[in-house]
Amino acid sequence: MDMPSPSSEDVRWIARCLELARAAAAADEVPVGAVVVIDGAAVGEGRNCVEQRRSPLAHAELEALQQALAAVGEKRLPQATLYCTLEPCFLCAGAILHSRVRRVVFGARDPKFGAVRSLATLLEDVRLNHRCEVVEGVGAEASAELLRTFFRGKRRS
């Protein structure tokens, strides 16, 4: 499947996601950051805080989506783009699908838990009335390096 090319806005928002991911790493969380953008403005941000909240649901993408939904006062985000440093997992992909996000832009692939291929394939099904554009690889090296550094440190501990 051909993926659309990133825009300068995509690069800008992934840079913000990387800042959030660095904050997650500083808090000893898996370094993932996410931002939801509508009409060029951030309406939700999140970073992983699974350990801090002691909840397997405290993923960066879910945090950003919840903030965005509260900010716009809606149950769907059809005009939104979700930016994140790491390919969303199946849990987050489900939330993305149900919130009707228009675009997903991410940096590094997650070979173990990544679900964007499944999400993109599912959304190509003509029986569904929702389509989600997926752009991958924006800030991929910086995102991947944050993860490598984080887990290298964990293996040494």
Side-chain angles (χ1 to χ4, degrees):
M1 162 181 31
D2 290 333
M3 295 285 176
S5 299
S7 69
S8 59
E9 283 296 296
D10 294 341
V11 172
R12 171 186 171 209
W13 290 111
I14 287 292
R16 176 63 186 140
C17 291
L18 285 164
E19 291 173 20
L20 293 164
R22 288 183 193 100
D28 205 29
E29 298 279 354
V30 175
V32 179
V35 177
V36 176
V37 175
I38 298 176
D39 295 329
V43 293
E45 292 188 344
R47 67 171 180 80
N48 272 1
C49 47
V50 172
E51 302 300 326
Q52 175 188 1
R53 294 210 180 133
R54 298 177 188 262
S55 170
L57 303 177
H59 291 219
E61 300 92 330
L62 298 179
E63 297 290 315
L65 286 170
Q66 288 174 351
Q67 277 187 21
L69 290 165
V72 299
E74 298 289 338
K75 62 181 181 178
R76 304 277 191 247
L77 299 166
Q79 303 307 316
T81 298
L82 171 73
Y83 294 94
C84 47
T85 55
L86 183 64
E87 178 182 12
C89 67
F90 285 94
L91 172 71
C92 296
I96 291 164
L97 178 66
H98 288 288
S99 63
R100 303 293 193 256
V101 168
R102 181 177 59 88
R103 291 179 76 226
V104 175
V105 179
F106 71 91
R109 276 218 171 253
D110 185 342
K112 190 171 183 180
F113 297 110
V116 166
R117 271 189 235 133
S118 297
L119 177 66
T121 303
L122 173 68
L123 292 175
E124 287 176 354
D125 189 322
V126 295
R127 294 170 294 177
L128 296 175
N129 62 5
H130 175 67
R131 300 291 180 263
C132 183
E133 178 184 332
V134 177
V135 179
E136 69 175 80
V138 182
E141 186 51 42
S143 298
E145 184 56 32
L146 265 173
L147 288 162
R148 282 190 296 267
T149 301
F150 178 80
F151 285 113
R152 211 174 7 246
K154 289 290 182 197
R155 284 191 290 275
R156 288 185 199 137
S157 311

